[in-house]
């Protein structure tokens, strides 16, 4: 079984500052993938960034980076230079990949609501 | 642009009626699609895995007779909420994708009066 824990129900950040959203996970799979999604108030799920368990480098996508610490089972999302449009719910998710192409379903954390203050 | 299209985005229905929600993959074939349910201010809970050409796999606690899933083609899966009741009011969202980041539809907000 897989489990994702996001311990921050809500976070505030000043515009243009950086913010870290925490995510820890638990899995028995040797190979797995970690994802971050953004969900604005409109409801759509926007894919932000992916980290594979065997990737040696931390993933980066523009202003998003993933601080992957495998030994600590953490996959924190760092958003640099926050913008007002970053205000949203952020979900950490994982997918076990030991079963190969047989299972693509994601397990989600409870989410963190980020509010960017002007 | 969107790679997964979900329709309708919002629906209001009367108690006892059925509602069909469509999920389409736009520029790829999806042998597997997923249906999630999200209550206000909560996370996404997987309801079922929709498999093209075969029966859906439902998560524990999800009534398969209430939430009918049909994956008749490689680009379309439908979720039908049968005999809807107010407690079925929720946000339903589908996802599709292969061994790559899953793409989500924009979701359907169902309100049962």
């Amino acid at each position: 079984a897989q489990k994702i824990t996001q311990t921050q129900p809500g976070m505030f950040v000043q515009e243009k500052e950086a913010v870290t959203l925490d995510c820890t996970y638990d899995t028995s799979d040797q190979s797995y993938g970690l994802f971050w999604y953004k969900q604005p108030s409109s409801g759509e799920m926007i894919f932000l960034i992916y980290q594979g368990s065997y990737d040696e480098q931390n993933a980066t996508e523009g202003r998003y980076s993933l601080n992957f610490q495998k030994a600590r089972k953490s996959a924190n999302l760092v958003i640099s230079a926050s913008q007002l449009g970053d205000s949203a719910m952020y979900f950490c998710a994982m997918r076990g990949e030991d079963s190969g192409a047989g299972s693509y379903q994601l397990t989600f954390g409870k989410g963190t609501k980020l509010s960017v203050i002007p | 642009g969107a790679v997964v299209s979900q329709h309708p985005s919002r629906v209001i229905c009367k108690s006892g009626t059925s509602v069909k929600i469509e999920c389409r993959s736009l520029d790829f074939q999806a042998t597997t699609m997923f249906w999630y349910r999200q209550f206000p201010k909560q996370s996404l809970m997987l309801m079922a895995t929709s498999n093209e050409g075969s029966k859906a796999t439902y998560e524990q606690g999800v009534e398969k007779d209430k939430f009918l899933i049909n994956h008749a083609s490689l680009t379309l899966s439908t979720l039908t909420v049968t005999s809807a009741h107010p407690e079925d009011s929720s946000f339903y969202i589908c996802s599709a994708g292969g061994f790559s980041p899953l793409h989500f539809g924009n979701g359907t907000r169902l309100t049962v009066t």
Side-chain angles (χ1 to χ4, degrees):
Chain A
Q2 297 162 357
K3 186 177 180 181
I4 293 283
T5 302
Q6 293 179 255
T7 57
Q8 307 154 313
M11 290 281 286
F12 290 89
V13 64
Q14 202 76 37
E15 192 178 7
K16 299 180 185 176
E17 298 291 313
V19 64
T20 298
L21 306 183
D22 294 341
C23 172
T24 58
Y25 62 90
D26 194 19
T27 181
S28 56
D29 284 4
Q30 294 299 307
S31 178
Y32 50 88
L34 295 156
F35 302 79
W36 277 92
Y37 284 85
K38 171 184 178 182
Q39 187 179 41
S41 57
S42 53
E44 71 261 39
M45 294 289 284
I46 302 168
F47 165 72
L48 296 178
I49 197 166
Y50 166 81
Q51 179 85 42
S53 57
Y54 288 110
D55 294 341
E56 295 185 354
Q57 302 263 359
N58 285 344
T60 60
E61 290 286 348
R63 295 188 297 112
Y64 305 108
S65 60
L66 199 151
N67 184 358
F68 181 47
Q69 297 189 40
K70 193 171 182 177
R72 300 178 64 180
K73 293 189 174 180
S74 74
N76 299 339
L77 177 71
V78 180
I79 305 175
S80 62
S82 297
Q83 301 171 356
L84 295 178
D86 294 335
S87 294
M89 283 291 290
Y90 288 80
F91 290 98
C92 180
M94 79 176 298
R95 175 181 71 200
E97 295 171 359
D98 276 357
S99 55
S103 177
Y104 309 141
Q105 64 198 51
L106 295 175
T107 300
F108 286 86
K110 292 183 183 293
T112 296
K113 184 175 182 179
L114 177 67
S115 300
V116 181
I117 305 165
Chain B
V3 295
V4 176
S5 172
Q6 187 172 341
H7 179 80
S9 58
R10 201 176 279 269
V11 59
I12 301 172
C13 71
K14 292 189 175 180
S15 189
T17 61
S18 295
V19 173
K20 181 184 283 188
I21 303 169
E22 292 187 348
C23 181
R24 294 181 185 273
S25 57
L26 296 183
D27 54 5
F28 65 98
Q29 294 180 332
T31 55
T32 304
M33 293 185 179
F34 302 97
W35 288 95
Y36 291 84
R37 183 174 183 175
Q38 186 180 28
F39 289 106
K41 299 185 180 180
Q42 293 192 24
S43 188
L44 280 72
M45 299 300 296
L46 180 66
M47 297 175 66
T49 302
S50 172
N51 305 298
E52 187 270 334
S54 65
K55 290 183 179 179
T57 305
Y58 290 83
E59 295 300 301
Q60 192 173 10
V62 178
E63 299 176 62
K64 56 185 175 184
D65 293 332
K66 166 166 271 299
F67 299 102
L68 299 179
I69 290 173
N70 187 340
H71 196 150
S73 77
L74 286 170
T75 59
L76 174 64
S77 174
T78 60
L79 168 68
T80 301
V81 183
T82 62
S83 188
H85 291 287
E87 56 265 32
D88 298 325
S89 298
S90 191
F91 187 68
Y92 295 88
I93 191 165
C94 69
S95 71
F99 203 69
S100 63
L102 283 177
H103 296 283
F104 286 81
N106 284 350
T108 297
R109 197 165 301 280
L110 171 64
T111 303
V112 184
T113 61

